[in-house]
């Protein structure tokens, strides 16, 4: 899984080319004092170990009216963020505000989870442990939500379904779509299988990890398979009427679409790729595709909650990022839906979380060798870090609706001051943790940028990962 943190992707070339990097001016003591007074007065404090439907009710009311709610997490490997958003999703379901759980997960994983929560198909433990689902979420927090959704659907006429909108599983997706094509056009299926080649090898139970294959396969094989994925996608665009009328057409068409997307998302990741062509818009491709998938996979009246990282669901960006073509899932949904999109992000002050410990940013390229998750203890409560601000409220946990900020010179100035968020993806370079470096794109963001609501925990702890047998 690629690093989800926006700061590691943002615009190093553009920033380095400026005559001077943007100034990093921290909030003054007076500005922070005004912000703390406002947060203390308008925030909703709660006990991080004992909250329920009553405590979540004001937040559910705040998010009402949105067609899609993007619910983030500061780290992929923290218990508190995941547990809170699982409980919030349950509360949104009970309130009748969402019909779909949209996952930052690959299509095959989402389809398997949907089969379980709506029809009881499969062993949920095997589904969570399956190769199609990201390692970082194979934990009690997500599995508990999955079981709850199955229980809800067993007793409610208003069913909730699950979809995966990510596109990093080109082998499984191509195999699924090709299986559908073979039922209606054997000639086209034989041709496409020949082009896809070792991506979906004959006789293998299921394809392996797409990125492993993509980085290691001969360049000619990758080129042929990429072309075949485009042809597979085109077949569905011109499919015969009898195929279009089949109950499985839409699912297979989406599989062909996400198979093609996988080749676009990783276009410049191979060692033999021309990385000079990988501009800011390239790093936004995955989010652009996920946004299109999220909209395309929803029915006309359906409403959804998205389970993803803060950096994906954030709804606005620095102007320099927009000018260069970078986008997030959230910015694109905001453009499409306007006020029909709402988003919630997280921050924290201290504690620990799961992530892969990396020696340098270059180690991100070694993701194909697998991810070994460790417990990392890093700070987010130093001056210039958002946890330092929230610590001053005296609470243990709280959430704040940023739209309630009153106008005033001190608060207006504070709102534009940069803060680190404590964001971590699947991998972290501890030596570079929250260090300002515009040449590499490591920059903090304005305090109020990105989310309608911020949830803060004074202390976080690692997610409850499931044991996974060694390969």
């Amino acid at each position: 899984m690629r690093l989800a943190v926006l700061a590691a992707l943002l615009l190093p070339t553009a920033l380095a080319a400026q005559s001077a990097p943007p100034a990093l001016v921290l909030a003054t003591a007076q500005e922070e004092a005004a912000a703390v007074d406002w947060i203390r007065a308008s925030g909703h404090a709660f006990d991080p170990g004992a909250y329920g439907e009553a405590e979540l009710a004001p937040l559910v009311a705040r998010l009402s009216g949105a067609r899609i709610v993007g619910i983030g997490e500061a780290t992929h490997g923290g218990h508190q963020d995941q547990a809170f958003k699982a409980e919030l999703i349950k509360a949104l379901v009970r309130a009748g505000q969402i019909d779909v759980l949209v996952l930052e997960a690959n299509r095959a994983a989402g389809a398997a989870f949907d089969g379980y929560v709506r029809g009881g198909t499969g062993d949920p433990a095997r589904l969570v442990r399956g190769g199609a689902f990201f390692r970082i979420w194979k934990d009690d927090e997500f599995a508990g939500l999955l079981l709850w959704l199955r229980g809800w659907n067993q007793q409610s006429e208003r069913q909730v379904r699950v979809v995966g909108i990510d596109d990093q599983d080109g082998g499984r997706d191509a195999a699924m779509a090709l299986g559908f094509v073979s039922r209606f056009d054997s000639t086209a299926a034989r041709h496409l299988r020949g082009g896809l080649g070792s991506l979906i090898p004959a006789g293998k139970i299921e394809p392996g990890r797409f990125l492993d294959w993509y980085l290691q396969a001969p360049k000619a094989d990758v080129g042929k398979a990429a072309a075949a994925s485009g042809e597979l996608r085109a077949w569905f665009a011109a499919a015969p009427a009898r195929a279009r009328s089949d109950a499985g057409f839409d699912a297979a068409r989406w599989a062909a679409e996400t198979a093609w997307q996988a080749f676009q998302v990783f276009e410049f990741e191979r060692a033999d790729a021309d990385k000079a062509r990988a501009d800011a818009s390239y790093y936004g491709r995955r989010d652009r595709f996920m946004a299109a998938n999220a909209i395309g996979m929803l029915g006309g009246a359906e409403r959804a909650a998205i389970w993803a990282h803060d950096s994906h669901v954030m709804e606005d960006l620095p102007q320099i990022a927009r000018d260069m073509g970078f986008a997030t899932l959230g910015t694109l949904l905001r453009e499409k839906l306007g006020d029909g999109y709402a988003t919630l992000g997280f921050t924290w002050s201290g504690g620990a979380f799961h992530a892969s410990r990396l020696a340098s940013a270059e180690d991100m390229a070694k993701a194909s060798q697998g991810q070994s998750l460790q417990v990392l203890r890093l700070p987010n409560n130093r001056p210039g870090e958002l946890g330092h601000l929230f610590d001053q409220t005296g609470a243990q946990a709280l959430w704040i609706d940023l739209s309630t900020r009153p106008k005033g010179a001190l608060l207006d100035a504070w709102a534009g001051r940069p803060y680190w968020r404590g964001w971590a993806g699947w991998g972290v370079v501890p030596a570079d943790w929250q260090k300002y470096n515009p040449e590499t794109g490591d920059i903090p963001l304005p305090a109020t940028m990105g989310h309608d609501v911020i949830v803060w925990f004074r202390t976080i702890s690692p997610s409850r990962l499931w044991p996974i047998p060694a390969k």
Side-chain angles (χ1 to χ4, degrees), residues 71-101:
I71 307 177
E73 58 194 31
T75 80
H76 278 322
H79 165 71
Q80 282 71 20
D81 291 10
Q82 290 189 39
F84 187 91
K85 70 188 204 174
E87 292 305 315
L88 177 58
I89 288 167
K90 295 174 189 176
L92 291 169
V93 170
R94 285 191 292 261
Q97 290 182 205
I98 65 168
D99 313 288
V100 185
L101 173 60

PDB file of all heavy atoms in Angstrom, residues 71-101:
ATOM      1  N   ILE A  71     -14.758   9.937   6.520  1.00  0.00           N
ATOM      2  CA  ILE A  71     -14.281   9.772   7.893  1.00  0.00           C
ATOM      3  C   ILE A  71     -12.836   9.275   7.833  1.00  0.00           C
ATOM      4  O   ILE A  71     -12.564   8.184   7.333  1.00  0.00           O
ATOM      5  CB  ILE A  71     -15.155   8.791   8.687  1.00  0.00           C
ATOM      6  CG1 ILE A  71     -16.632   9.200   8.593  1.00  0.00           C
ATOM      7  CG2 ILE A  71     -14.711   8.740  10.143  1.00  0.00           C
ATOM      8  CD1 ILE A  71     -17.578   8.241   9.284  1.00  0.00           C
ATOM      9  N   GLY A  72     -11.926  10.078   8.333  1.00  0.00           N
ATOM     10  CA  GLY A  72     -10.516   9.756   8.213  1.00  0.00           C
ATOM     11  C   GLY A  72      -9.947   9.032   9.411  1.00  0.00           C
ATOM     12  O   GLY A  72     -10.656   8.435  10.216  1.00  0.00           O
ATOM     13  N   GLU A  73      -8.631   9.103   9.520  1.00  0.00           N
ATOM     14  CA  GLU A  73      -7.867   8.631  10.666  1.00  0.00           C
ATOM     15  C   GLU A  73      -6.488   9.249  10.526  1.00  0.00           C
ATOM     16  O   GLU A  73      -5.961   9.372   9.423  1.00  0.00           O
ATOM     17  CB  GLU A  73      -7.788   7.105  10.708  1.00  0.00           C
ATOM     18  CG  GLU A  73      -7.187   6.459   9.477  1.00  0.00           C
ATOM     19  CD  GLU A  73      -7.437   4.955   9.424  1.00  0.00           C
ATOM     20  OE1 GLU A  73      -8.479   4.526   9.945  1.00  0.00           O
ATOM     21  OE2 GLU A  73      -6.598   4.235   8.870  1.00  0.00           O
ATOM     22  N   ALA A  74      -5.911   9.669  11.660  1.00  0.00           N
ATOM     23  CA  ALA A  74      -4.604  10.318  11.594  1.00  0.00           C
ATOM     24  C   ALA A  74      -3.506   9.321  11.252  1.00  0.00           C
ATOM     25  O   ALA A  74      -2.573   9.632  10.520  1.00  0.00           O
ATOM     26  CB  ALA A  74      -4.291  11.015  12.912  1.00  0.00           C
ATOM     27  N   THR A  75      -3.601   8.125  11.809  1.00  0.00           N
ATOM     28  CA  THR A  75      -2.675   7.051  11.470  1.00  0.00           C
ATOM     29  C   THR A  75      -3.490   5.849  11.036  1.00  0.00           C
ATOM     30  O   THR A  75      -4.634   5.678  11.455  1.00  0.00           O
ATOM     31  CB  THR A  75      -1.780   6.652  12.670  1.00  0.00           C
ATOM     32  OG1 THR A  75      -2.525   5.796  13.542  1.00  0.00           O
ATOM     33  CG2 THR A  75      -1.290   7.869  13.427  1.00  0.00           C
ATOM     34  N   HIS A  76      -2.914   5.009  10.218  1.00  0.00           N
ATOM     35  CA  HIS A  76      -3.594   3.766   9.838  1.00  0.00           C
ATOM     36  C   HIS A  76      -3.541   2.731  10.951  1.00  0.00           C
ATOM     37  O   HIS A  76      -4.242   1.726  10.879  1.00  0.00           O
ATOM     38  CB  HIS A  76      -2.935   3.170   8.588  1.00  0.00           C
ATOM     39  CG  HIS A  76      -3.391   3.788   7.303  1.00  0.00           C
ATOM     40  ND1 HIS A  76      -4.686   4.178   7.066  1.00  0.00           N
ATOM     41  CD2 HIS A  76      -2.702   4.065   6.152  1.00  0.00           C
ATOM     42  CE1 HIS A  76      -4.785   4.662   5.847  1.00  0.00           C
ATOM     43  NE2 HIS A  76      -3.596   4.615   5.266  1.00  0.00           N
ATOM     44  N   GLY A  77      -2.701   2.962  11.961  1.00  0.00           N
ATOM     45  CA  GLY A  77      -2.474   1.908  12.947  1.00  0.00           C
ATOM     46  C   GLY A  77      -2.806   2.278  14.368  1.00  0.00           C
ATOM     47  O   GLY A  77      -2.241   1.702  15.310  1.00  0.00           O
ATOM     48  N   GLY A  78      -3.747   3.215  14.583  1.00  0.00           N
ATOM     49  CA  GLY A  78      -4.131   3.617  15.923  1.00  0.00           C
ATOM     50  C   GLY A  78      -5.497   3.084  16.310  1.00  0.00           C
ATOM     51  O   GLY A  78      -6.428   3.084  15.497  1.00  0.00           O
ATOM     52  N   HIS A  79      -5.636   2.660  17.551  1.00  0.00           N
ATOM     53  CA  HIS A  79      -6.911   2.103  18.029  1.00  0.00           C
ATOM     54  C   HIS A  79      -7.996   3.159  18.150  1.00  0.00           C
ATOM     55  O   HIS A  79      -9.134   2.947  17.715  1.00  0.00           O
ATOM     56  CB  HIS A  79      -6.690   1.423  19.387  1.00  0.00           C
ATOM     57  CG  HIS A  79      -7.968   1.132  20.116  1.00  0.00           C
ATOM     58  ND1 HIS A  79      -8.853   0.150  19.702  1.00  0.00           N
ATOM     59  CD2 HIS A  79      -8.518   1.697  21.230  1.00  0.00           C
ATOM     60  CE1 HIS A  79      -9.891   0.117  20.527  1.00  0.00           C
ATOM     61  NE2 HIS A  79      -9.713   1.047  21.461  1.00  0.00           N
ATOM     62  N   GLN A  80      -7.692   4.302  18.756  1.00  0.00           N
ATOM     63  CA  GLN A  80      -8.731   5.273  19.099  1.00  0.00           C
ATOM     64  C   GLN A  80      -9.451   5.817  17.868  1.00  0.00           C
ATOM     65  O   GLN A  80     -10.685   5.910  17.863  1.00  0.00           O
ATOM     66  CB  GLN A  80      -8.136   6.414  19.925  1.00  0.00           C
ATOM     67  CG  GLN A  80      -7.886   6.081  21.380  1.00  0.00           C
ATOM     68  CD  GLN A  80      -6.718   5.119  21.579  1.00  0.00           C
ATOM     69  OE1 GLN A  80      -5.858   4.978  20.697  1.00  0.00           O
ATOM     70  NE2 GLN A  80      -6.676   4.458  22.722  1.00  0.00           N
ATOM     71  N   ASP A  81      -8.708   6.189  16.830  1.00  0.00           N
ATOM     72  CA  ASP A  81      -9.346   6.704  15.616  1.00  0.00           C
ATOM     73  C   ASP A  81     -10.273   5.662  15.008  1.00  0.00           C
ATOM     74  O   ASP A  81     -11.424   5.950  14.657  1.00  0.00           O
ATOM     75  CB  ASP A  81      -8.290   7.087  14.577  1.00  0.00           C
ATOM     76  CG  ASP A  81      -7.474   8.301  14.977  1.00  0.00           C
ATOM     77  OD1 ASP A  81      -7.583   8.744  16.131  1.00  0.00           O
ATOM     78  OD2 ASP A  81      -6.716   8.803  14.118  1.00  0.00           O
ATOM     79  N   GLN A  82      -9.776   4.447  14.865  1.00  0.00           N
ATOM     80  CA  GLN A  82     -10.574   3.404  14.222  1.00  0.00           C
ATOM     81  C   GLN A  82     -11.788   3.030  15.054  1.00  0.00           C
ATOM     82  O   GLN A  82     -12.886   2.811  14.516  1.00  0.00           O
ATOM     83  CB  GLN A  82      -9.708   2.179  13.949  1.00  0.00           C
ATOM     84  CG  GLN A  82      -8.674   2.381  12.863  1.00  0.00           C
ATOM     85  CD  GLN A  82      -7.987   1.088  12.477  1.00  0.00           C
ATOM     86  OE1 GLN A  82      -8.607   0.034  12.408  1.00  0.00           O
ATOM     87  NE2 GLN A  82      -6.695   1.162  12.226  1.00  0.00           N
ATOM     88  N   ALA A  83     -11.620   2.941  16.370  1.00  0.00           N
ATOM     89  CA  ALA A  83     -12.747   2.590  17.228  1.00  0.00           C
ATOM     90  C   ALA A  83     -13.812   3.688  17.181  1.00  0.00           C
ATOM     91  O   ALA A  83     -15.020   3.398  17.120  1.00  0.00           O
ATOM     92  CB  ALA A  83     -12.268   2.369  18.662  1.00  0.00           C
ATOM     93  N   PHE A  84     -13.371   4.950  17.200  1.00  0.00           N
ATOM     94  CA  PHE A  84     -14.325   6.061  17.166  1.00  0.00           C
ATOM     95  C   PHE A  84     -15.092   6.062  15.854  1.00  0.00           C
ATOM     96  O   PHE A  84     -16.316   6.232  15.830  1.00  0.00           O
ATOM     97  CB  PHE A  84     -13.599   7.383  17.369  1.00  0.00           C
ATOM     98  CG  PHE A  84     -14.513   8.563  17.507  1.00  0.00           C
ATOM     99  CD1 PHE A  84     -14.953   8.965  18.748  1.00  0.00           C
ATOM    100  CD2 PHE A  84     -14.927   9.276  16.386  1.00  0.00           C
ATOM    101  CE1 PHE A  84     -15.808  10.063  18.884  1.00  0.00           C
ATOM    102  CE2 PHE A  84     -15.780  10.372  16.509  1.00  0.00           C
ATOM    103  CZ  PHE A  84     -16.223  10.766  17.765  1.00  0.00           C
ATOM    104  N   LYS A  85     -14.381   5.906  14.755  1.00  0.00           N
ATOM    105  CA  LYS A  85     -15.108   5.979  13.489  1.00  0.00           C
ATOM    106  C   LYS A  85     -16.010   4.772  13.279  1.00  0.00           C
ATOM    107  O   LYS A  85     -17.077   4.902  12.671  1.00  0.00           O
ATOM    108  CB  LYS A  85     -14.159   6.203  12.318  1.00  0.00           C
ATOM    109  CG  LYS A  85     -13.240   5.118  11.899  1.00  0.00           C
ATOM    110  CD  LYS A  85     -12.306   5.740  10.858  1.00  0.00           C
ATOM    111  CE  LYS A  85     -11.693   4.768   9.925  1.00  0.00           C
ATOM    112  NZ  LYS A  85     -10.913   5.444   8.865  1.00  0.00           N
ATOM    113  N   ALA A  86     -15.643   3.615  13.815  1.00  0.00           N
ATOM    114  CA  ALA A  86     -16.545   2.471  13.752  1.00  0.00           C
ATOM    115  C   ALA A  86     -17.834   2.770  14.505  1.00  0.00           C
ATOM    116  O   ALA A  86     -18.941   2.470  14.024  1.00  0.00           O
ATOM    117  CB  ALA A  86     -15.863   1.232  14.318  1.00  0.00           C
ATOM    118  N   GLU A  87     -17.709   3.365  15.703  1.00  0.00           N
ATOM    119  CA  GLU A  87     -18.906   3.702  16.475  1.00  0.00           C
ATOM    120  C   GLU A  87     -19.717   4.798  15.790  1.00  0.00           C
ATOM    121  O   GLU A  87     -20.955   4.785  15.812  1.00  0.00           O
ATOM    122  CB  GLU A  87     -18.514   4.137  17.885  1.00  0.00           C
ATOM    123  CG  GLU A  87     -17.946   3.017  18.740  1.00  0.00           C
ATOM    124  CD  GLU A  87     -18.881   1.818  18.837  1.00  0.00           C
ATOM    125  OE1 GLU A  87     -20.101   2.017  19.052  1.00  0.00           O
ATOM    126  OE2 GLU A  87     -18.390   0.679  18.668  1.00  0.00           O
ATOM    127  N   LEU A  88     -19.034   5.759  15.154  1.00  0.00           N
ATOM    128  CA  LEU A  88     -19.747   6.809  14.435  1.00  0.00           C
ATOM    129  C   LEU A  88     -20.505   6.239  13.245  1.00  0.00           C
ATOM    130  O   LEU A  88     -21.653   6.628  12.976  1.00  0.00           O
ATOM    131  CB  LEU A  88     -18.758   7.875  13.977  1.00  0.00           C
ATOM    132  CG  LEU A  88     -19.342   9.019  13.135  1.00  0.00           C
ATOM    133  CD1 LEU A  88     -20.450   9.740  13.875  1.00  0.00           C
ATOM    134  CD2 LEU A  88     -18.238   9.998  12.732  1.00  0.00           C
ATOM    135  N   ILE A  89     -19.899   5.307  12.526  1.00  0.00           N
ATOM    136  CA  ILE A  89     -20.582   4.681  11.390  1.00  0.00           C
ATOM    137  C   ILE A  89     -21.822   3.930  11.867  1.00  0.00           C
ATOM    138  O   ILE A  89     -22.896   4.014  11.250  1.00  0.00           O
ATOM    139  CB  ILE A  89     -19.616   3.759  10.629  1.00  0.00           C
ATOM    140  CG1 ILE A  89     -18.592   4.610   9.867  1.00  0.00           C
ATOM    141  CG2 ILE A  89     -20.363   2.838   9.666  1.00  0.00           C
ATOM    142  CD1 ILE A  89     -17.403   3.841   9.337  1.00  0.00           C
ATOM    143  N   LYS A  90     -21.710   3.211  12.964  1.00  0.00           N
ATOM    144  CA  LYS A  90     -22.891   2.529  13.530  1.00  0.00           C
ATOM    145  C   LYS A  90     -23.989   3.538  13.855  1.00  0.00           C
ATOM    146  O   LYS A  90     -25.174   3.306  13.573  1.00  0.00           O
ATOM    147  CB  LYS A  90     -22.498   1.758  14.786  1.00  0.00           C
ATOM    148  CG  LYS A  90     -21.540   0.608  14.576  1.00  0.00           C
ATOM    149  CD  LYS A  90     -21.117   0.019  15.920  1.00  0.00           C
ATOM    150  CE  LYS A  90     -19.990  -0.987  15.781  1.00  0.00           C
ATOM    151  NZ  LYS A  90     -19.527  -1.486  17.093  1.00  0.00           N
ATOM    152  N   ALA A  91     -23.606   4.663  14.470  1.00  0.00           N
ATOM    153  CA  ALA A  91     -24.586   5.677  14.829  1.00  0.00           C
ATOM    154  C   ALA A  91     -25.240   6.281  13.588  1.00  0.00           C
ATOM    155  O   ALA A  91     -26.451   6.554  13.579  1.00  0.00           O
ATOM    156  CB  ALA A  91     -23.917   6.776  15.663  1.00  0.00           C
ATOM    157  N   LEU A  92     -24.466   6.491  12.522  1.00  0.00           N
ATOM    158  CA  LEU A  92     -25.027   7.005  11.272  1.00  0.00           C
ATOM    159  C   LEU A  92     -25.990   6.007  10.640  1.00  0.00           C
ATOM    160  O   LEU A  92     -27.020   6.392  10.071  1.00  0.00           O
ATOM    161  CB  LEU A  92     -23.896   7.342  10.300  1.00  0.00           C
ATOM    162  CG  LEU A  92     -23.015   8.538  10.672  1.00  0.00           C
ATOM    163  CD1 LEU A  92     -21.780   8.593   9.785  1.00  0.00           C
ATOM    164  CD2 LEU A  92     -23.795   9.846  10.574  1.00  0.00           C
ATOM    165  N   VAL A  93     -25.668   4.724  10.744  1.00  0.00           N
ATOM    166  CA  VAL A  93     -26.572   3.687  10.235  1.00  0.00           C
ATOM    167  C   VAL A  93     -27.870   3.689  11.034  1.00  0.00           C
ATOM    168  O   VAL A  93     -28.976   3.676  10.477  1.00  0.00           O
ATOM    169  CB  VAL A  93     -25.898   2.301  10.286  1.00  0.00           C
ATOM    170  CG1 VAL A  93     -26.919   1.197  10.004  1.00  0.00           C
ATOM    171  CG2 VAL A  93     -24.744   2.225   9.292  1.00  0.00           C
ATOM    172  N   ARG A  94     -27.749   3.702  12.368  1.00  0.00           N
ATOM    173  CA  ARG A  94     -28.954   3.684  13.213  1.00  0.00           C
ATOM    174  C   ARG A  94     -29.845   4.897  12.949  1.00  0.00           C
ATOM    175  O   ARG A  94     -31.071   4.805  13.007  1.00  0.00           O
ATOM    176  CB  ARG A  94     -28.556   3.653  14.687  1.00  0.00           C
ATOM    177  CG  ARG A  94     -28.049   2.311  15.177  1.00  0.00           C
ATOM    178  CD  ARG A  94     -27.935   2.278  16.690  1.00  0.00           C
ATOM    179  NE  ARG A  94     -26.888   3.169  17.170  1.00  0.00           N
ATOM    180  CZ  ARG A  94     -25.666   2.783  17.516  1.00  0.00           C
ATOM    181  NH1 ARG A  94     -25.332   1.489  17.425  1.00  0.00           N
ATOM    182  NH2 ARG A  94     -24.786   3.654  17.944  1.00  0.00           N
ATOM    183  N   ALA A  95     -29.214   6.038  12.634  1.00  0.00           N
ATOM    184  CA  ALA A  95     -29.980   7.257  12.372  1.00  0.00           C
ATOM    185  C   ALA A  95     -30.557   7.301  10.961  1.00  0.00           C
ATOM    186  O   ALA A  95     -31.254   8.262  10.612  1.00  0.00           O
ATOM    187  CB  ALA A  95     -29.084   8.479  12.596  1.00  0.00           C
ATOM    188  N   GLY A  96     -30.275   6.299  10.159  1.00  0.00           N
ATOM    189  CA  GLY A  96     -30.777   6.265   8.790  1.00  0.00           C
ATOM    190  C   GLY A  96     -30.071   7.226   7.858  1.00  0.00           C
ATOM    191  O   GLY A  96     -30.601   7.591   6.804  1.00  0.00           O
ATOM    192  N   GLN A  97     -28.843   7.633   8.212  1.00  0.00           N
ATOM    193  CA  GLN A  97     -28.134   8.633   7.418  1.00  0.00           C
ATOM    194  C   GLN A  97     -27.193   8.045   6.378  1.00  0.00           C
ATOM    195  O   GLN A  97     -26.724   8.782   5.500  1.00  0.00           O
ATOM    196  CB  GLN A  97     -27.363   9.588   8.339  1.00  0.00           C
ATOM    197  CG  GLN A  97     -28.290  10.496   9.128  1.00  0.00           C
ATOM    198  CD  GLN A  97     -27.573  11.494  10.012  1.00  0.00           C
ATOM    199  OE1 GLN A  97     -28.127  11.952  11.003  1.00  0.00           O
ATOM    200  NE2 GLN A  97     -26.354  11.841   9.669  1.00  0.00           N
ATOM    201  N   ILE A  98     -26.890   6.749   6.455  1.00  0.00           N
ATOM    202  CA  ILE A  98     -26.061   6.133   5.415  1.00  0.00           C
ATOM    203  C   ILE A  98     -26.598   4.754   5.057  1.00  0.00           C
ATOM    204  O   ILE A  98     -27.196   4.063   5.895  1.00  0.00           O
ATOM    205  CB  ILE A  98     -24.578   6.024   5.823  1.00  0.00           C
ATOM    206  CG1 ILE A  98     -24.389   5.084   7.023  1.00  0.00           C
ATOM    207  CG2 ILE A  98     -23.978   7.388   6.096  1.00  0.00           C
ATOM    208  CD1 ILE A  98     -22.939   4.729   7.268  1.00  0.00           C
ATOM    209  N   ASP A  99     -26.381   4.390   3.806  1.00  0.00           N
ATOM    210  CA  ASP A  99     -26.786   3.081   3.288  1.00  0.00           C
ATOM    211  C   ASP A  99     -25.597   2.260   2.813  1.00  0.00           C
ATOM    212  O   ASP A  99     -25.734   1.072   2.544  1.00  0.00           O
ATOM    213  CB  ASP A  99     -27.726   3.255   2.076  1.00  0.00           C
ATOM    214  CG  ASP A  99     -28.809   4.268   2.317  1.00  0.00           C
ATOM    215  OD1 ASP A  99     -29.730   3.976   3.092  1.00  0.00           O
ATOM    216  OD2 ASP A  99     -28.721   5.386   1.746  1.00  0.00           O
ATOM    217  N   VAL A 100     -24.434   2.910   2.671  1.00  0.00           N
ATOM    218  CA  VAL A 100     -23.270   2.259   2.085  1.00  0.00           C
ATOM    219  C   VAL A 100     -22.032   2.606   2.911  1.00  0.00           C
ATOM    220  O   VAL A 100     -21.831   3.770   3.278  1.00  0.00           O
ATOM    221  CB  VAL A 100     -23.034   2.707   0.623  1.00  0.00           C
ATOM    222  CG1 VAL A 100     -21.893   1.918  -0.015  1.00  0.00           C
ATOM    223  CG2 VAL A 100     -24.313   2.554  -0.201  1.00  0.00           C
ATOM    224  N   LEU A 101     -21.216   1.600   3.184  1.00  0.00           N
ATOM    225  CA  LEU A 101     -19.889   1.815   3.747  1.00  0.00           C
ATOM    226  C   LEU A 101     -18.897   1.713   2.596  1.00  0.00           C
ATOM    227  O   LEU A 101     -18.770   0.660   1.968  1.00  0.00           O
ATOM    228  CB  LEU A 101     -19.572   0.782   4.820  1.00  0.00           C
ATOM    229  CG  LEU A 101     -18.136   0.809   5.371  1.00  0.00           C
ATOM    230  CD1 LEU A 101     -17.824   2.161   6.008  1.00  0.00           C
ATOM    231  CD2 LEU A 101     -17.910  -0.324   6.362  1.00  0.00           C
TER     232      LEU A 101
END
